[in-house]
Amino acid sequence: MIIRELRKLIESGEKIDVEFKRSRSDITKDVYDTVCSFNNRNGGHIFLGVKDDREILGVEPEAIDKILRDFTTAINNANKIYPPLYLTPEVYEIEPEIKIIYIRVPEGGQVRRHNGIIWDRTYEGDIDITRNEELVYKMYARKQGSYYVNKVFPGLGMEFLNSDLIKRARKMATGRVDNHPWATMNEEEMLRSSGLILTDMETYKEGITLAAILLFGKDSSIMSVMPQYKTDAIYRVENVDRYDDRDVIITNLISSYDRLMEFGKKHLNDVFVLEGIQSVSARDRILREVISNILAHRDFSSGFPAKFIIEKDKIYTENSNLAHGIGELRLDRFEPFPKNPPISKVFREIGLADELGSGMRNTNKYTKLYSGGIPSFDEGDIFKITIPLKKIATAKVGPEKESVGQSVGQDVGQGVGQEEAVLQELILKLINKNNRVTKKQIAKEASVSEKTIERQMKKMTNVKYVGRGYSGHWEIRD
């Protein structure tokens, strides 16, 4: 059984957790770089006697004992690998008379160095991050399980927070849940119950935390402790080289959520869909999930600004991240990790987020309803979410995007009517641009089927095709 599994790993090729080394007669020093990078990241598999192109060469039989001895000695030597490691390489006859050495490297609980160098693992291979302070910090933070947002500011009191915002949060929480504990608490008790007032373990003095300042702080307080903090919202559809609209947000997380939601609603058409027998706004559900993610789960130790970008065919977000893996996350294998527990707790209490791990499932569900597509989630030091869109999602309709449907005299409250309104406005726009445009071209531009365009155009009494075949053209009548 083990041979079959090893062959499967070899056939899949080198990747973030698989590395091949020739090492036929001796062990090369870069093997130890990979041992450290795997141990510092998520663990991995090292094969000695295999080429980069997956060709199995095997290890020379007379060299096997020496390689095993040298490897075991090196990883137990604190002057070479620090802290020392205890691994057991295994020899397998992977093909008749061809033996390889297999080394399984687990994920470590400490940051390890090889000859004083800190190695990390990416899809590109082993990388030296020793002089990159931000990446080194991220690695230590992953290993220690510490949360940057729990940093305590003993010199800052309640006056650095916005009292009205705390009261608003209480109202939001008690409006959702009867007999919510916050209903009978004063502001300081609310913060304590949410882990937003802690004791600094170096000075043993109490104070509000960074999470408290980010959630409820006055803008001046936020800038005093995090001058690099900002969230960038960009709408880029017509002016693709720059942007059509932009909002640089540097206020507290709760108000940031409101502004990002307003930005998304302003630039994305709302096509109501049916969830069972109930009409829902898939657009708003998607916005809720991706916005709460970039606000509540970002790595605030990084100067990288969170980004929320709407383009013609997609929404995508980026935020700095303490990654627990690298690559695209799959819904059937996804294991959520808490990123900023005190911020996430407050977001859940006031209804801006749900339980850990639900965001990915909800985003997947409502993207299928909204655009028929599948979102992607890419884990790394920068976490990325991409939501595919139909082109009608960003099509401008009428004098104001909020009047979708009304511009063609249809009832916005009806889900089908609104989608038809958006589509018909797009058809008119394309005909105005080119009165010889074909139904096939319109369908491609709208990301719908040609039959859908035909059905809509039959309903549009103000549009008529004059002439026959390719020599004809469209006319729009008042």
Side-chain angles (χ1 to χ4, degrees):
M1 184 66 176
I2 185 68
I3 298 297
R4 190 187 319 155
E5 292 172 351
L6 294 178
R7 289 189 67 88
K8 188 175 180 180
L9 281 171
I10 293 172
E11 289 167 3
S12 69
E14 288 188 320
K15 47 190 176 182
I16 193 166
D17 61 349
V18 176
E19 179 73 17
F20 303 145
K21 304 290 185 185
R22 292 177 63 98
S23 298
R24 293 208 67 201
S25 57
D26 199 3
I27 190 165
T28 55
K29 66 177 183 179
D30 62 348
V31 170
Y32 303 111
D33 299 342
T34 302
V35 167
C36 279
S37 71
F38 279 169
N39 190 256
N40 283 336
R41 182 55 71 166
N42 301 309
H45 312 268
I46 300 175
F47 293 86
L48 307 186
V50 180
K51 291 174 63 177
D52 292 347
D53 62 2
R54 311 177 198 182
E55 181 183 353
I56 301 173
L57 300 174
V59 178
E60 295 177 0
E62 60 273 16
I64 290 177
D65 288 342
K66 180 178 183 301
I67 289 175
L68 296 177
R69 186 171 57 253
D70 289 349
F71 178 81
T72 304
T73 301
I75 64 169
N76 282 275
N77 181 356
N79 293 321
K80 191 171 184 68
I81 302 290
Y82 185 81
L85 261 173
Y86 303 93
L87 303 177
T88 305
E90 302 283 348
V91 180
Y92 292 98
E93 188 170 331
I94 201 81
E95 291 181 356
E97 299 184 1
I98 297 180
K99 295 181 178 180
I100 62 165
I101 296 175
Y102 167 69
I103 304 164
R104 176 70 176 101
V105 183
E107 178 180 358
Q110 303 178 70
V111 174
R112 282 188 164 78
R113 301 169 182 254
H114 173 220
N115 289 337
I117 296 174
I118 301 175
W119 294 90
D120 198 1
R121 184 73 177 182
T122 70
Y123 277 106
E124 285 70 41
D126 307 318
I127 58 170
D128 175 3
I129 66 167
T130 312
R131 298 181 184 278
N132 190 317
E133 293 182 5
E134 182 176 329
L135 293 182
V136 170
Y137 164 77
K138 287 177 180 287
M139 182 176 289
Y140 273 98
R142 285 199 308 271
K143 302 299 182 184
Q144 295 171 359
S146 60
Y147 298 104
Y148 185 77
V149 294
N150 283 344
K151 182 178 180 180
V152 179
F153 294 87
L156 303 186
M158 295 291 291
E159 67 273 14
F160 285 83
L161 305 181
N162 185 329
S163 179
D164 290 340
L165 195 59
I166 299 175
K167 291 174 182 175
R168 180 189 167 200
R170 179 195 285 117
K171 186 175 181 180
M172 293 170 71
T174 56
R176 294 181 62 249
V177 179
D178 291 337
N179 301 316
H180 193 283
W182 286 0
T184 58
M185 294 182 183
N186 62 35
E187 293 176 10
E188 183 174 327
E189 289 171 339
M190 281 178 58
L191 298 184
R192 289 185 183 278
S193 72
S194 302
L196 300 176
I197 295 178
L198 297 174
T199 300
D200 183 351
M201 299 312 295
E202 292 184 3
T203 64
Y204 296 101
K205 293 182 180 179
E206 273 194 342
I208 59 175
T209 65
L210 176 60
I213 297 171
L214 289 168
L215 282 163
F216 301 117
K218 299 173 182 177
D219 290 356
S220 58
S221 302
I222 295 172
M223 287 299 100
S224 67
V225 299
M226 285 199 69
Q228 77 277 20
Y229 163 77
K230 74 173 181 178
T231 303
D232 205 355
I234 296 173
Y235 175 70
R236 185 189 294 130
V237 172
E238 300 296 333
N239 189 348
V240 295
D241 295 325
R242 198 160 180 248
Y243 55 81
D244 304 302
D245 191 14
R246 184 181 186 186
D247 188 8
V248 178
I249 304 169
I250 54 174
T251 191
N252 63 79
L253 294 176
I254 297 174
S255 298
S256 293
Y257 178 93
D258 293 339
R259 280 176 56 178
L260 287 168
M261 285 293 291
E262 289 172 8
F263 189 88
K265 291 178 180 180
K266 176 182 177 183
H267 294 299
L268 289 168
N269 294 316
D270 193 5
V271 179
F272 285 84
V273 297
L274 289 177
E275 184 180 4
I277 60 173
Q278 184 178 5
S279 180
V280 298
S281 171
R283 177 199 67 179
D284 291 357
R285 301 291 178 92
I286 292 168
L287 290 176
R288 175 180 183 265
E289 299 300 344
V290 299
I291 290 171
S292 63
N293 179 78
I294 63 174
L295 294 178
H297 298 316
R298 68 202 278 185
D299 172 24
F300 289 97
S301 69
S302 171
F304 184 85
K307 297 176 182 177
F308 172 73
I309 301 174
I310 300 173
E311 294 188 345
K312 194 170 189 178
D313 59 351
K314 65 178 178 288
I315 306 168
Y316 69 93
T317 66
E318 296 181 347
N319 60 276
S320 186
N321 178 49
L322 285 177
H324 288 267
I326 297 290
E328 185 170 355
L329 298 179
R330 289 181 50 177
L331 197 60
D332 58 342
R333 298 181 183 176
F334 173 59
E335 294 184 12
F337 290 90
K339 300 293 176 70
N340 299 309
I343 294 176
S344 297
K345 174 179 171 57
V346 172
F347 267 48
R348 288 194 300 273
E349 296 291 347
I350 63 179
L352 303 188
D354 297 318
E355 72 274 9
L356 185 65
S358 63
M360 186 172 170
R361 295 191 298 272
N362 289 338
T363 305
N364 187 73
K365 172 183 176 180
Y366 290 109
T367 299
K368 288 179 180 178
L369 291 175
Y370 189 59
S371 68
I374 298 175
S376 66
F377 306 84
D378 293 306
E379 175 91 49
D381 292 325
I382 303 299
F383 189 85
K384 301 177 182 178
I385 302 175
T386 304
I387 310 292
L389 297 175
K390 290 182 179 179
K391 291 181 181 178
I392 57 174
T394 54
K396 289 192 177 295
V397 281
E400 294 291 339
K401 199 174 272 285
E402 290 302 322
S403 64
V404 169
Q406 295 173 347
S407 61
V408 290
Q410 293 181 316
D411 183 0
V412 177
Q414 300 295 321
V416 175
Q418 180 161 359
E419 187 166 8
E420 288 181 344
V422 176
L423 190 52
Q424 290 181 16
E425 286 282 356
L426 181 59
I427 291 170
L428 294 174
K429 180 180 177 181
L430 294 173
I431 290 175
N432 276 321
K433 188 175 180 181
N434 174 15
N435 66 357
R436 295 182 183 276
V437 66
T438 66
K439 293 178 182 178
K440 184 176 182 180
Q441 290 170 334
I442 295 173
K444 183 178 180 181
E445 189 70 20
S447 300
V448 297
S449 70
E450 193 170 345
K451 286 185 178 180
T452 298
I453 296 299
E454 289 176 353
R455 284 196 299 270
Q456 290 304 316
M457 296 190 81
K458 285 180 181 178
K459 299 177 182 180
M460 298 172 67
T461 57
N462 59 334
V463 175
K464 184 176 181 180
Y465 193 75
V466 178
R468 301 183 65 181
Y470 291 108
S471 61
H473 65 277
W474 297 101
E475 285 187 357
I476 300 175
R477 299 176 178 178
D478 296 332

